[in-house]
Amino acid sequence: MVQHSPPLDRTFSALADGHRRQILDRLGEGPVSISQLATPLGMSLPGVLKHIRALEEAHLIETRKQGRTRWCRLGERPLDDAAAWIDERRNQWIRRLHRFEGSLEDTKAADQ
Amino acid sequence: MVQHSPPLDRTFSALADGHRRQILDRLGEGPVSISQLATPLGMSLPGVLKHIRALEEAHLIETRKQGRTRWCRLGERPLDDAAAWIDERRNQWIRRLHRFEGSLEDTKAADQ
């Protein structure tokens, strides 16, 4: 199991900010330009650009320049790695809990 | 939908570090003392304590002092909130993709 995974560091770090999660939600409705993102967030263009860079470095979104406008859209399968990491742990912990509960019941049955 | 959620900020931020994810994996096998955590990680006690604090503030783990030893264990349902946030987005995006593909097929059928 690879523990020191810079891509996962970048993904979770990018998700650790409400504005960046809000940008992902907006892009979930379809591609938008950076200035279209800035207005509803009540942020300056440089402020949005900083978040866009963090999301792009984590491959959560993609940007593309068309003329003078930079468009943003969701990356390809953007949350799969984070979901896989989390789901693997939750499943392991649930299995361990069931094993523990099972051995507890065995002990109780043996005591009776 | 609550966007600015400090608890989610703390959770994702705590997960954005390989050492902290390694600590969660170790605690998935059962409770350990902080010094037992430090040795296999090759870290100093103050270094581990810093990570422990970040994980504890995110409610991913719990600690308890017994005599001179501080024990750590996983929090209760520690990754549920992060998993719920991620799953909700992935489901929304997949539904949107299916709707988009459906309307594309309708357009194609109308053109024929």
Side-chain angles (χ1 to χ4, degrees):
Chain A
M1 201 183 291
V2 179
Q3 295 295 346
H4 298 280
S5 166
L8 265 184
D9 286 12
R10 281 198 293 270
T11 304
F12 285 129
S13 177
L15 295 177
D17 180 283
H19 279 124
R20 290 198 287 268
R21 294 196 299 277
Q22 210 169 339
I23 291 172
L24 288 176
D25 278 337
R26 176 63 194 83
L27 295 185
E29 296 164 17
V32 280
S33 70
I34 287 179
S35 52
Q36 281 173 324
L37 273 177
T39 315
L41 287 171
M43 291 182 78
S44 67
L45 219 55
V48 174
L49 274 168
K50 205 177 129 194
H51 288 314
I52 291 295
R53 257 195 301 276
L55 290 164
E56 202 174 10
E57 279 169 13
H59 301 292
L60 291 169
I61 68 165
E62 292 168 2
T63 73
R64 183 174 50 91
K65 197 147 188 188
Q66 204 170 25
R68 288 183 171 198
T69 308
R70 184 167 288 279
W71 291 87
C72 308
R73 65 173 186 189
L74 287 180
E76 210 172 318
R77 311 179 68 78
L79 291 172
D80 284 12
D81 289 352
W85 188 88
I86 288 178
D87 290 346
E88 198 182 322
R89 269 73 201 167
R90 292 176 86 212
N91 293 336
Q92 276 171 5
W93 299 343
I94 287 168
R95 277 199 302 272
R96 202 186 109 80
L97 186 68
H98 287 174
R99 276 202 307 276
F100 176 71
E101 284 170 347
S103 65
L104 210 66
E105 278 167 23
D106 291 347
T107 311
K108 273 186 195 165
D111 284 349
Q112 278 167 3
Chain B
M1 201 183 293
V2 179
Q3 295 294 345
H4 296 281
S5 165
L8 264 185
D9 285 11
R10 281 199 293 269
T11 304
F12 285 129
S13 178
L15 295 177
D17 180 283
H19 279 124
R20 291 199 287 268
R21 294 197 298 277
Q22 210 169 342
I23 291 172
L24 287 177
D25 278 336
R26 176 62 194 84
L27 295 183
E29 297 163 16
V32 282
S33 71
I34 287 179
S35 51
Q36 282 172 324
L37 272 178
T39 314
L41 287 172
M43 291 182 80
S44 67
L45 219 54
V48 173
L49 274 168
K50 206 177 129 192
H51 289 312
I52 291 295
R53 256 195 302 275
L55 289 164
E56 201 173 11
E57 280 170 12
H59 301 290
L60 291 168
I61 70 166
E62 291 169 1
T63 74
R64 182 174 51 92
K65 197 148 190 188
Q66 202 169 28
R68 289 184 171 196
T69 307
R70 184 167 287 279
W71 291 87
C72 308
R73 66 174 184 187
L74 287 180
E76 210 170 318
R77 313 179 69 79
L79 291 173
D80 283 13
D81 288 352
W85 188 88
I86 288 179
D87 290 347
E88 198 182 321
R89 270 72 200 169
R90 291 176 86 211
N91 292 338
Q92 277 172 3
W93 299 344
I94 287 168
R95 277 199 300 273
R96 202 186 110 82
L97 187 67
H98 287 175
R99 275 203 306 276
F100 176 71
E101 286 170 346
S103 64
L104 211 64
E105 277 167 24
D106 292 347
T107 311
K108 273 186 196 165
D111 284 349
Q112 278 167 1

